[in-house]
């Protein structure tokens, strides 16, 4: 049984439901795909960022990027064999959304984007080192705990969105009170720990000789966690800065 991942795009059956190929998935290949995906995401983010500061209304681009990214994430999750074709498009869509989102926050709090990016990269590197040195081990209880916490956060966000349509606000989730900041800190920690499960999942897939296209799928899973973590960090920083 392949290890369980808290990342909703990666689960026990992702590798098991496919025939293993003669040209198998490798960790090195997955890393290369992840860097290519990240490069596309950053390039798209720079475009929407530049458009924003040149006076263009990028609200539509941001919403469109978020919606397209969400739809593509669902399609890729249910059809991993399409990952080589759809993951690059997903990266561009998410990059467009993140660029516009980051520019909006940067207007409100100068320097916040660089801070959020550096913290996100630092957390990723720290957890990768911790995983490789086995300082953190993806035990079954650890996986189940992070999976449950991630699912719980997703449900809360979904309820917040639905209730928001009726003018109802979930207490503390979006405000800058000490409780609200504490909630954001917990969400950031849970988002970050998903990297450990992603590393374990990709390593297990490579050991099992999963099909080559699963390298793109593994890169996709990392990008999902990376985007989530960055968004949560910039939200947390914004809460902290708004208290000054």
């Amino acid at each position: 049984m392949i290890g369980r991942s808290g990342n909703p795009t990666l689960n026990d059956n992702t590798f098991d439901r496919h025939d293993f190929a003669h040209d198998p998935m490798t960790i090195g290949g997955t890393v290369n795909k992840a860097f290519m995906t990240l490069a596309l995401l950053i390039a798209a983010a720079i475009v929407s960022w530049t458009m924003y500061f040149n006076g263009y209304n990028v609200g539509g681009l941001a919403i469109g990027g978020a919606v397209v990214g969400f739809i593509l994430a669902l399609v890729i999750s249910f059809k991993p064999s399409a990952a080589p074709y759809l993951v690059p498009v997903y990266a561009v869509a998410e990059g467009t959304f993140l660029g516009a989102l980051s520019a909006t926050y940067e207007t409100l709090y100068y320097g916040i984007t660089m801070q959020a990016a550096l913290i996100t990269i630092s957390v990723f590197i720290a957890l990768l080192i911790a995983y490789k040195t086995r300082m953190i081990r993806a035990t079954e209880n650890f996986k189940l705990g992070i999976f449950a916490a991630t699912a719980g956060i997703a449900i809360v966000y979904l309820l917040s969105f639905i209730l928001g349509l009726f003018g109802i606000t979930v207490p503390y989730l979006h405000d800058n009170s000490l409780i609200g900041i504490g909630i954001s800190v917990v969400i950031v920690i849970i988002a970050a720990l998903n990297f450990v499960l992603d590393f374990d999942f990709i390593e297990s897939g490579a050991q099992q000789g999963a099909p080559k296209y699963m390298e793109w799928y593994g890169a996709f899973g990392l990008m999902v966690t990376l985007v989530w973590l960055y968004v949560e960090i910039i939200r947390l920083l914004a809460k902290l800065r708004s208290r000054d």
Side-chain angles (χ1 to χ4, degrees):
M1 179 73 73
I2 300 296
R4 187 178 286 104
S5 172
N7 188 323
T9 67
L10 306 176
N11 55 64
D12 284 343
N13 299 319
T14 304
F15 291 119
D16 293 341
R17 66 188 179 218
H18 301 288
D19 295 329
F20 292 166
H22 296 297
D23 186 16
M25 170 187 183
T26 65
I27 293 177
T30 305
V31 170
N32 291 336
K33 272 43 170 209
F35 273 117
M36 286 187 279
T37 304
L38 181 60
L40 287 171
L41 186 148
I42 292 174
I46 290 175
V47 171
S48 59
W49 169 285
T50 302
M51 290 178 63
Y52 179 91
F53 284 105
N54 282 338
Y56 291 95
N57 185 350
V58 295
L61 282 176
I63 296 174
V67 172
V68 171
F70 177 74
I71 293 174
L72 288 175
L74 290 177
V75 174
I76 295 168
S77 298
F78 286 103
K79 191 173 179 57
S81 60
Y85 313 103
L86 297 183
V87 170
V89 183
Y90 166 82
V92 172
E94 287 297 309
T96 301
F97 162 69
L98 288 183
L101 178 71
S102 299
T104 302
Y105 274 112
E106 187 71 16
T107 301
L108 298 173
Y109 309 106
Y110 177 75
I112 194 173
T113 302
M114 183 60 69
Q115 291 176 342
L118 290 176
I119 293 173
T120 301
I121 294 172
S122 298
V123 169
F124 174 84
I125 293 174
L127 286 173
L128 178 60
I129 293 173
Y131 176 77
K132 295 298 291 183
T133 58
R134 302 308 181 195
M135 292 175 61
I136 296 180
R137 296 180 180 274
T139 64
E140 284 304 310
N141 287 336
F142 180 86
K143 296 173 187 177
L144 286 171
I146 298 303
F147 178 82
T150 301
I153 292 169
I155 291 172
V156 170
Y157 275 141
L158 179 60
L159 287 175
S160 175
F161 173 76
I162 294 174
L163 292 175
L165 297 177
F166 299 95
I168 303 174
T169 302
V170 176
Y172 306 117
L173 187 60
H174 303 294
D175 64 42
N176 65 349
S177 65
L178 292 179
I179 295 178
I181 290 173
I183 290 173
S184 286
V185 169
V186 171
I187 294 176
V188 165
I189 292 172
I190 297 302
L193 289 177
N194 270 271
F195 277 130
V196 177
L197 306 190
D198 297 340
F199 299 149
D200 177 72
F201 184 80
I202 292 169
E203 185 176 58
S204 298
Q207 291 173 352
Q208 293 291 331
K212 192 70 173 177
Y213 61 77
M214 295 302 286
E215 292 178 352
W216 280 103
Y217 193 82
F220 163 68
L222 286 174
M223 285 302 104
V224 170
T225 302
L226 188 70
V227 169
W228 180 30
L229 178 60
Y230 173 80
V231 170
E232 295 299 344
I233 287 176
I234 202 169
R235 289 184 69 245
L236 173 59
L237 291 176
K239 287 183 178 182
L240 293 171
R241 293 277 289 270
S242 67
R243 290 176 61 87
D244 295 340

